[in-house]
mmCIF file of all heavy atoms in Angstrom:
data_model
loop_
_atom_site.group_PDB
_atom_site.id
_atom_site.type_symbol
_atom_site.label_atom_id
_atom_site.label_comp_id
_atom_site.label_asym_id
_atom_site.label_seq_id
_atom_site.Cartn_x
_atom_site.Cartn_y
_atom_site.Cartn_z
ATOM 1 N N GLY A 618 38.563 -22.949 12.258
ATOM 2 C CA GLY A 618 38.358 -24.153 11.468
ATOM 3 C C GLY A 618 38.423 -25.417 12.304
ATOM 4 O O GLY A 618 38.783 -25.386 13.493
ATOM 5 N N ASN A 619 38.114 -26.582 11.677
ATOM 6 C CA ASN A 619 38.059 -27.832 12.438
ATOM 7 C C ASN A 619 39.435 -28.338 12.853
ATOM 8 O O ASN A 619 39.544 -29.255 13.646
ATOM 9 C CB ASN A 619 37.313 -28.914 11.646
ATOM 10 C CG ASN A 619 37.937 -29.174 10.282
ATOM 11 O OD1 ASN A 619 39.068 -28.747 10.020
ATOM 12 N ND2 ASN A 619 37.207 -29.870 9.424
ATOM 13 N N LYS A 620 40.495 -27.712 12.342
ATOM 14 C CA LYS A 620 41.841 -28.074 12.776
ATOM 15 C C LYS A 620 42.435 -27.039 13.731
ATOM 16 O O LYS A 620 43.630 -27.040 14.002
ATOM 17 C CB LYS A 620 42.748 -28.244 11.562
ATOM 18 C CG LYS A 620 42.345 -29.424 10.667
ATOM 19 C CD LYS A 620 43.325 -29.601 9.521
ATOM 20 C CE LYS A 620 42.915 -30.791 8.658
ATOM 21 N NZ LYS A 620 43.855 -30.987 7.517
ATOM 22 N N GLY A 621 41.576 -26.139 14.215
ATOM 23 C CA GLY A 621 42.010 -25.159 15.199
ATOM 24 C C GLY A 621 42.614 -23.898 14.633
ATOM 25 O O GLY A 621 42.962 -22.982 15.377
ATOM 26 N N ARG A 622 42.755 -23.839 13.310
ATOM 27 C CA ARG A 622 43.298 -22.627 12.705
ATOM 28 C C ARG A 622 42.243 -21.531 12.762
ATOM 29 O O ARG A 622 41.057 -21.760 12.496
ATOM 30 C CB ARG A 622 43.710 -22.886 11.264
ATOM 31 C CG ARG A 622 44.847 -23.896 11.123
ATOM 32 C CD ARG A 622 45.203 -24.131 9.671
ATOM 33 N NE ARG A 622 45.658 -22.893 9.030
ATOM 34 C CZ ARG A 622 45.946 -22.817 7.726
ATOM 35 N NH1 ARG A 622 45.816 -23.902 6.954
ATOM 36 N NH2 ARG A 622 46.356 -21.690 7.215
ATOM 37 N N SER A 623 42.665 -20.297 13.087
ATOM 38 C CA SER A 623 41.702 -19.203 13.244
ATOM 39 C C SER A 623 42.018 -18.059 12.298
ATOM 40 O O SER A 623 43.171 -17.810 11.946
ATOM 41 C CB SER A 623 41.679 -18.721 14.692
ATOM 42 O OG SER A 623 42.906 -18.135 15.054
ATOM 43 N N VAL A 624 40.968 -17.347 11.935
ATOM 44 C CA VAL A 624 41.061 -16.164 11.083
ATOM 45 C C VAL A 624 40.331 -15.044 11.800
ATOM 46 O O VAL A 624 39.158 -15.194 12.156
ATOM 47 C CB VAL A 624 40.411 -16.421 9.708
ATOM 48 C CG1 VAL A 624 40.452 -15.154 8.862
ATOM 49 C CG2 VAL A 624 41.090 -17.578 8.993
ATOM 50 N N PRO A 625 40.989 -13.910 12.062
ATOM 51 C CA PRO A 625 40.293 -12.809 12.734
ATOM 52 C C PRO A 625 39.187 -12.249 11.852
ATOM 53 O O PRO A 625 39.304 -12.215 10.620
ATOM 54 C CB PRO A 625 41.398 -11.781 12.979
ATOM 55 C CG PRO A 625 42.460 -12.109 11.988
ATOM 56 C CD PRO A 625 42.397 -13.582 11.768
ATOM 57 N N ALA A 626 38.113 -11.821 12.466
ATOM 58 C CA ALA A 626 36.972 -11.244 11.751
ATOM 59 C C ALA A 626 36.629 -9.901 12.375
ATOM 60 O O ALA A 626 36.477 -9.796 13.606
ATOM 61 C CB ALA A 626 35.771 -12.185 11.816
ATOM 62 N N ALA A 627 36.511 -8.859 11.560
ATOM 63 C CA ALA A 627 36.170 -7.521 12.060
ATOM 64 C C ALA A 627 34.697 -7.482 12.440
ATOM 65 O O ALA A 627 33.812 -7.714 11.606
ATOM 66 C CB ALA A 627 36.467 -6.475 10.992
ATOM 67 N N VAL A 628 34.442 -7.212 13.714
ATOM 68 C CA VAL A 628 33.074 -7.219 14.234
ATOM 69 C C VAL A 628 32.859 -6.000 15.126
ATOM 70 O O VAL A 628 33.805 -5.393 15.624
ATOM 71 C CB VAL A 628 32.781 -8.484 15.064
ATOM 72 C CG1 VAL A 628 32.879 -9.735 14.231
ATOM 73 C CG2 VAL A 628 33.693 -8.570 16.287
ATOM 74 N N CYS A 629 31.596 -5.669 15.339
ATOM 75 C CA CYS A 629 31.219 -4.705 16.374
ATOM 76 C C CYS A 629 29.834 -5.072 16.878
ATOM 77 O O CYS A 629 29.033 -5.674 16.148
ATOM 78 C CB CYS A 629 31.248 -3.264 15.850
ATOM 79 S SG CYS A 629 29.958 -2.860 14.672
ATOM 80 N N ALA A 630 29.562 -4.736 18.105
ATOM 81 C CA ALA A 630 28.256 -5.037 18.688
ATOM 82 C C ALA A 630 27.187 -4.167 18.054
ATOM 83 O O ALA A 630 27.416 -2.996 17.749
ATOM 84 C CB ALA A 630 28.289 -4.806 20.195
ATOM 85 N N LEU A 631 26.023 -4.733 17.858
ATOM 86 C CA LEU A 631 24.870 -3.938 17.456
ATOM 87 C C LEU A 631 24.348 -3.177 18.660
ATOM 88 O O LEU A 631 24.364 -3.676 19.788
ATOM 89 C CB LEU A 631 23.786 -4.842 16.877
ATOM 90 C CG LEU A 631 24.144 -5.582 15.587
ATOM 91 C CD1 LEU A 631 23.003 -6.490 15.166
ATOM 92 C CD2 LEU A 631 24.498 -4.599 14.476
ATOM 93 N N GLY A 632 23.867 -1.972 18.428
ATOM 94 C CA GLY A 632 23.388 -1.142 19.531
ATOM 95 C C GLY A 632 22.193 -1.759 20.237
ATOM 96 O O GLY A 632 21.203 -2.129 19.597
ATOM 97 N N GLY A 633 22.296 -1.898 21.543
ATOM 98 C CA GLY A 633 21.244 -2.525 22.330
ATOM 99 C C GLY A 633 21.487 -3.989 22.600
ATOM 100 O O GLY A 633 20.739 -4.619 23.361
ATOM 101 N N SER A 634 22.531 -4.555 21.995
ATOM 102 C CA SER A 634 22.824 -5.977 22.199
ATOM 103 C C SER A 634 23.268 -6.252 23.626
ATOM 104 O O SER A 634 23.855 -5.401 24.297
ATOM 105 C CB SER A 634 23.922 -6.427 21.239
ATOM 106 O OG SER A 634 24.306 -7.770 21.492
ATOM 107 N N VAL A 635 23.026 -7.468 24.056
ATOM 108 C CA VAL A 635 23.617 -7.958 25.301
ATOM 109 C C VAL A 635 25.039 -8.407 24.998
ATOM 110 O O VAL A 635 25.408 -8.639 23.845
ATOM 111 C CB VAL A 635 22.798 -9.132 25.891
ATOM 112 C CG1 VAL A 635 21.403 -8.666 26.270
ATOM 113 C CG2 VAL A 635 22.729 -10.312 24.906
ATOM 114 N N GLY A 636 25.851 -8.542 26.036
ATOM 115 C CA GLY A 636 27.216 -9.015 25.880
ATOM 116 C C GLY A 636 27.284 -10.531 25.817
ATOM 117 O O GLY A 636 26.274 -11.234 25.959
ATOM 118 N N THR A 637 28.487 -11.032 25.628
ATOM 119 C CA THR A 637 28.674 -12.480 25.520
ATOM 120 C C THR A 637 29.028 -13.124 26.857
ATOM 121 O O THR A 637 29.029 -14.359 26.961
ATOM 122 C CB THR A 637 29.784 -12.810 24.508
ATOM 123 O OG1 THR A 637 30.997 -12.149 24.921
ATOM 124 C CG2 THR A 637 29.404 -12.344 23.108
#
Side-chain angles (χ1 to χ4, degrees):
N619 57 14
K620 295 183 179 180
R622 296 179 61 185
S623 66
V624 177
V628 297
C629 70
L631 296 177
S634 175
V635 296
T637 57

